[in-house]
Amino acid sequence: VGHPMTVLAFAAAVTKRIGLGTGVELLNVRHPVELAQQAATLNALSGERLTLGLSQGGRQAGHQTAGIV
């Protein structure tokens, strides 16, 4: 399975009413601004069907990996 936003974008393209959502996106391994831009775009293109689960994660080292200092 691919990246969650890519898979959800495909699901949005081939459906009209189904809700779209992530489990939990960890902010310490994804840059929060990039994630917010992707989520906003997907939500707009899907007719506001996205539910986004977020967590700050648990370790500071993950922030450095994602380029968040």
Side-chain angles (χ1 to χ4, degrees), residues 1 3-5 8-9 11 13 18-20 23-24 31 33 39 44 46-48 51 54-55 57 60-61 65 68-69:
V1 178
H3 188 278
M5 292 296 175
L8 291 173
I18 190 170
L20 307 167
V24 176
H31 196 285
V33 173
S46 70
E48 299 186 0
T51 301
L54 299 173
S55 172
Q60 191 70 359
T65 302
I68 307 164
V69 180

Side-chain angles (χ1 to χ4, degrees), residues 20-53:
L20 307 167
T22 63
V24 176
E25 290 284 338
L26 299 175
L27 294 176
N28 68 335
V29 295
R30 299 277 318 276
H31 196 285
V33 173
E34 180 181 299
L35 178 60
Q37 290 171 332
Q38 291 173 350
T41 301
L42 178 56
N43 194 48
L45 294 175
S46 70
E48 299 186 0
R49 294 186 285 154
L50 179 64
T51 301
L52 184 63

